[in-house]
Amino acid sequence: MATYKVKVATGTDFFSGTLDSISLTIVGTQGESHKQRLNHFGRDFATGAVDDYTVQCQQDLGELIIIRLHKEPHSFLAKDPWYCNYVQICAPDCRVYHFPAYQWMDGYETLALREATGKITADDTLPILLEHRQEEIRAKKDFYHWRVFVPGLPNYVDIPSYHPPPRRCRNPNRPEWDGYIPGFPILINIKATRFLNSNLRFSFVKTASFFYRLGPMALAFKLRGLVDRKRSWKRLKDIKNIFPATKSVVSEYVAEHWTEDSFFGYQYLNGINPGLIRRCTQIPDKFPVTDEMVAPFLGEGTCLQAELERGNIYLADYRILDGIPTVELNGQQQHHCAPMCLLHFGPDGNMMPIAIQLSQTPGPDCPIFLPNDSEWDWLLAKTWVRYAEFYSHEAVAHLLESHLIGEAFCLALLRNLPMCHPLYKAMSLGLEGFAQVMVRGLSELTYKSLCIPNDFVERGVQDLPGYYFRDDSLAVWYAMERYVTEIITYYYPNDAAVEGDPELQCWVQEIFKECLLGRKSSGFPTCLRTIPELIEYVTMVMYTCSARHAAVNSGQLEYTSWMPNFPSSMRNPPMQTKGLTTLQTYMDTLPDVKTTCIVLLVLWTLCREPDDRRPLGHFPDIHFVEEGPRRSIEAFRQNLNQISHNIRQRNKCLTLPYYYLDPVLIENSISI
């Protein structure tokens, strides 16, 4: 008689426990146990519980390789979902086997789990293990399907039994979660989450906290009459009263310094869209800036051509927004432009705007605005650029390059890698105009642009002083790269093992097909042949789904709560003549009160720290059991701790701290 001591851990989230009947079958290399019921009279499998059991077998089962959990009805009770963390079994020879689950069992079903040792396909020799990994992938592909979101954008997960409403909003003046939020076309549908499999939904804690925060704040806005005012703001200072209790060092600085040219330029380096600016070596024909125009702003003893040659001229070009249609908000037609902004990095270390054109087509009705124009002309020109920043940031840097691409990476992983694969264990994870911007963004996206070190070199900003976003992102990237290198080289002995891993290659091919839509000019690989190629690819995926999102998401409210710094819509056309702008025309161009408040309410909700956050490098789910990978995880955490310490020490010396890439504040995956 062989005795096996079993521990079963239930999840800690609310309602993780179950009253259903749970049975266990143990499979080893020398045999299989009988199916044994574990729970007794509803006392087991409570939320957060770790329950102990004993399973008796007629013979020693040999090395344990698979277990089966059977969830069945308990008398007259309805189906009761159960979240299983893991099962741990101590064999008669005292060897402990770990079987990670970390998933829901919704109905009456059988869940087969492998022992936790990470293995690529070539490592499996037993037919039962090869069959198991093939069956797991087949089942996931049967359940998780791709669906076209918007033609030209990455495909996304098809939600069974859910059919979204038409994308064109029924009432553009009414904010709805499943339609169009004025000035901010959020592509999130909270209603759809109830159709998701439990393993894809937000946790109960996250969902509850989301509505707990949003509901009272939305009601407060309603009671204060803010969401019913369709008029212009009477005074700029009134905007501060939207969130009187939500202030930070950064938001206060923005409100005090938003008109300053130095702060305008600073935001290209360390604001919430710091990946746009690039070094300019030749003035574009479509932006006919002359030396005579900008000489007064370059300093003595130099000229535009000299500064171009020295690498001190930078360009922010919003061509991706050209020709995008606008909508009516609150009964008023909105206006749009695709500006260009020329900047100069001076010897004092400031990035300063020196010329702005509000169109991609020069001409007599498209003047080039300069810092020595009238105060309100220059301020409105800069505000138009900040408006373009809003859409470049929200549509491309945030939604496309973080959320949509991250979801495609994740779905391809779910469909192609079984839980035992080491890469599965290593991974953390109007509308029409908005969509057009993203489609254009995807058409220009390249693999190298998502590999951060290459992106800085390609944009010519690798040695630009005061670029804290670059410094911190590189530190996090290289820490990830070191961790990924240790994991990959532990499981892949040589290049042949990489090229010969069919599951890995299917994952890469599916990302190319479903995320990049098969566009060869993207430079995304369709296969990986070497260990260095695999390391770079996995590092890119990890960074995209964590640090990249943190850089563009965490500071949204701080930089936007003072609305003129980041307006979501403009109610007057771009200026065609200089000298006509006044305070009143400026106020009448900014978003109205209602639009401002709705946009800020959304951003406030998105930027709140989640109640179930998991900082980068912290993996509460135990997937790795081998000593080597576990040491690598601990080393990764230590590296991140050092990066966090360095960032905080640097910030003590800065008037305006940059902390969005502090690893302590980066989530393991995109969680909102």
Side-chain angles (χ1 to χ4, degrees):
M1 185 71 68
T3 301
Y4 293 85
K5 297 179 180 179
V6 179
K7 288 182 181 292
V8 181
T10 297
T12 57
D13 194 17
F14 287 112
F15 309 119
S16 292
T18 186
L19 296 176
D20 281 346
S21 174
I22 305 297
S23 301
L24 173 69
T25 302
I26 305 173
V27 180
T29 55
Q30 302 298 321
E32 180 175 321
S33 76
H34 64 283
K35 174 182 170 184
Q36 178 167 322
R37 180 174 171 176
L38 300 180
N39 52 334
H40 305 286
F41 309 111
R43 296 177 297 174
D44 305 79
F45 309 117
T47 297
V50 179
D51 298 304
D52 295 294
Y53 306 95
T54 298
V55 174
Q56 300 285 352
C57 298
Q58 293 296 323
Q59 63 181 37
D60 191 300
L61 301 178
E63 182 180 352
L64 303 188
I65 53 177
I66 289 176
I67 63 169
R68 301 189 189 100
L69 291 171
H70 312 275
K71 182 169 175 288
E72 299 166 313
H74 186 279
S75 65
F76 60 87
L77 297 176
K79 292 179 182 179
D80 190 14
W82 177 47
Y83 188 89
C84 178
N85 275 351
Y86 62 85
V87 176
Q88 194 176 86
I89 301 177
C90 182
D93 61 0
C94 296
R95 178 179 173 183
V96 177
Y97 295 84
H98 187 79
F99 297 85
Y102 303 106
Q103 57 186 294
W104 288 92
M105 298 180 71
D106 281 329
Y108 304 136
E109 58 185 292
T110 294
L111 176 64
L113 301 173
R114 284 184 55 144
E115 191 272 329
T117 303
K119 293 183 178 181
I120 60 177
T121 307
D123 296 329
D124 277 337
T125 56
L126 295 175
I128 188 175
L129 293 180
L130 288 169
E131 181 182 348
H132 175 269
R133 70 190 302 145
Q134 292 165 2
E135 174 59 25
E136 181 184 341
I137 292 174
R138 185 200 63 77
K140 289 195 292 188
K141 286 190 174 182
D142 283 347
F143 188 84
Y144 300 117
H145 297 275
W146 292 99
R147 180 176 186 164
V148 175
F149 176 38
V150 172
L153 287 183
N155 295 330
Y156 76 125
V157 61
D158 187 13
I159 303 173
S161 304
Y162 174 69
H163 301 284
R167 291 195 181 96
R168 185 177 295 277
C169 181
R170 293 182 296 275
N171 182 356
N173 294 317
R174 177 187 172 191
E176 302 179 30
W177 282 108
D178 60 344
Y180 182 78
I181 296 178
F184 191 78
I186 288 289
L187 299 176
I188 296 176
N189 194 308
I190 300 299
K191 294 179 181 178
T193 60
R194 64 190 174 95
F195 293 94
L196 287 170
N197 171 273
S198 295
N199 292 305
L200 292 182
R201 295 177 194 158
F202 281 158
S203 68
F204 174 83
V205 171
K206 185 183 293 293
T207 303
S209 64
F210 183 89
F211 286 105
Y212 175 77
R213 289 166 174 162
L214 178 62
M217 185 62 75
L219 179 60
F221 274 33
K222 182 68 175 178
L223 293 177
R224 291 163 62 190
L226 294 175
V227 294
D228 296 320
R229 299 178 191 171
K230 302 178 182 181
R231 56 171 172 77
S232 300
W233 291 91
K234 291 183 178 179
R235 301 175 301 177
L236 282 171
K237 66 179 183 180
D238 292 341
I239 298 171
K240 274 192 173 183
N241 298 326
I242 299 177
F243 290 113
T246 306
K247 295 180 179 179
S248 68
V249 172
V250 174
S251 64
E252 288 293 285
Y253 190 95
V254 172
E256 292 174 9
H257 298 273
W258 68 286
T259 62
E260 298 172 8
D261 287 358
S262 58
F263 179 63
F264 177 91
Y266 169 89
Q267 293 183 80
Y268 280 109
L269 305 182
N270 303 307
I272 56 174
N273 190 26
L276 177 74
I277 192 172
R278 59 178 57 240
R279 180 169 280 150
C280 180
T281 57
Q282 182 177 354
I283 302 298
D285 292 339
K286 63 180 181 179
F287 194 10
V289 177
T290 65
D291 185 67
E292 182 181 7
M293 290 179 182
V294 299
F297 321 117
L298 301 178
E300 296 182 1
T302 188
C303 64
L304 181 57
Q305 184 58 39
E307 292 303 292
L308 285 167
E309 293 172 359
R310 291 170 184 154
N312 292 331
I313 302 297
Y314 293 83
L315 179 66
D317 188 349
Y318 299 90
R319 67 185 185 283
I320 200 170
L321 302 177
D322 192 30
I324 298 297
T326 59
V327 297
E328 282 191 8
L329 293 180
N330 304 320
Q332 183 172 354
Q333 182 65 41
Q334 305 300 295
H335 296 274
H336 184 72
C337 75
M340 290 179 285
C341 179
L342 202 66
L343 302 108
H344 175 242
F345 189 80
D348 59 356
N350 286 325
M351 182 72 73
M352 304 287 282
I354 57 175
I356 293 173
Q357 180 176 288
L358 300 182
S359 171
Q360 296 288 303
T361 306
D365 59 350
C366 183
I368 294 177
F369 292 91
L370 305 170
N372 56 6
D373 288 333
S374 72
E375 175 188 0
W376 290 108
D377 274 356
W378 181 238
L379 182 59
L380 186 52
K382 289 191 296 181
T383 303
W384 271 108
V385 174
R386 295 300 300 162
Y387 158 81
E389 269 283 282
F390 182 94
Y391 280 95
S392 173
H393 165 263
E394 293 296 353
V396 180
H398 188 192
L399 186 52
L400 173 64
E401 294 182 355
S402 294
H403 285 272
L404 298 187
I405 287 179
E407 178 177 318
F409 289 167
C410 179
L411 182 55
L413 181 142
L414 285 173
R415 285 170 43 86
N416 292 282
L417 300 183
M419 282 184 66
C420 64
H421 198 288
L423 290 184
Y424 188 103
K425 299 171 181 286
M427 293 299 173
S428 308
L429 283 194
L431 282 177
E432 294 172 2
F434 201 73
Q436 283 185 39
V437 175
M438 291 191 292
V439 169
R440 293 181 185 181
L442 183 64
S443 70
E444 296 182 4
L445 184 74
T446 66
Y447 177 65
K448 291 302 182 183
S449 71
L450 293 182
C451 296
I452 284 294
N454 298 302
D455 178 61
F456 291 128
V457 173
E458 194 275 331
R459 290 192 290 116
V461 294
Q462 68 272 22
D463 55 359
L464 185 58
Y467 200 2
Y468 308 123
F469 160 72
R470 177 204 57 215
D471 300 341
D472 297 351
S473 61
L474 286 176
V476 172
W477 173 280
Y478 289 129
M480 287 183 175
E481 185 180 64
R482 178 176 175 181
Y483 165 66
V484 169
T485 298
E486 293 177 0
I487 297 295
I488 294 300
T489 54
Y490 183 88
Y491 291 103
Y492 289 91
N494 49 47
D495 292 344
V498 172
E499 190 169 12
D501 185 345
E503 294 163 348
L504 167 67
Q505 302 302 338
C506 286
W507 177 52
V508 172
Q509 290 165 11
E510 193 156 296
I511 287 175
F512 177 74
K513 176 184 176 183
E514 303 292 347
C515 179
L516 280 301
L517 307 182
R519 182 171 59 84
K520 294 182 179 180
S521 61
S522 69
F524 263 73
T526 56
C527 65
L528 300 175
R529 293 187 171 87
T530 68
I531 288 176
E533 289 177 357
L534 177 57
I535 290 171
E536 181 182 59
Y537 195 91
V538 174
T539 304
M540 178 274 297
V541 171
M542 286 187 64
Y543 183 90
T544 299
C545 296
S546 56
R548 178 180 289 275
H549 179 255
V552 299
N553 177 74
S554 302
Q556 287 184 104
L557 186 62
E558 290 185 314
Y559 277 88
T560 310
S561 58
W562 181 253
M563 176 272 292
N565 184 61
F566 215 48
S568 63
S569 61
M570 300 290 264
R571 293 180 297 153
N572 283 331
M575 309 95 79
Q576 297 181 336
T577 306
K578 292 187 179 185
L580 300 180
T581 308
T582 64
L583 170 60
Q584 189 58 51
T585 58
Y586 183 84
M587 300 296 288
D588 289 342
T589 301
L590 292 176
D592 59 36
V593 176
K594 177 178 180 178
T595 299
T596 300
C597 292
I598 291 175
V599 169
L600 293 186
L601 178 61
V602 172
L603 293 178
W604 177 84
T605 304
L606 295 178
C607 293
R608 303 295 290 176
E609 183 175 294
D611 291 331
D612 59 350
R613 68 185 304 270
R614 297 181 177 183
L616 184 63
H618 290 73
F619 308 108
D621 298 352
I622 305 171
H623 284 285
F624 286 113
V625 294
E626 302 96 313
E627 188 60 30
R630 293 177 72 84
R631 285 197 303 267
S632 297
I633 291 174
E634 183 57 33
F636 182 40
R637 289 176 182 158
Q638 294 301 322
N639 288 339
L640 294 176
N641 288 339
Q642 184 60 52
I643 293 171
S644 179
H645 172 77
N646 295 343
I647 290 174
R648 295 181 181 210
Q649 289 299 113
R650 177 201 67 204
N651 285 344
K652 290 179 180 179
C653 304
L654 300 178
T655 303
L656 187 58
Y658 182 79
Y659 43 71
Y660 301 132
L661 287 174
D662 183 340
V664 174
L665 303 178
I666 300 173
E667 284 237 51
N668 251 344
S669 62
I670 300 171
S671 62
I672 184 63

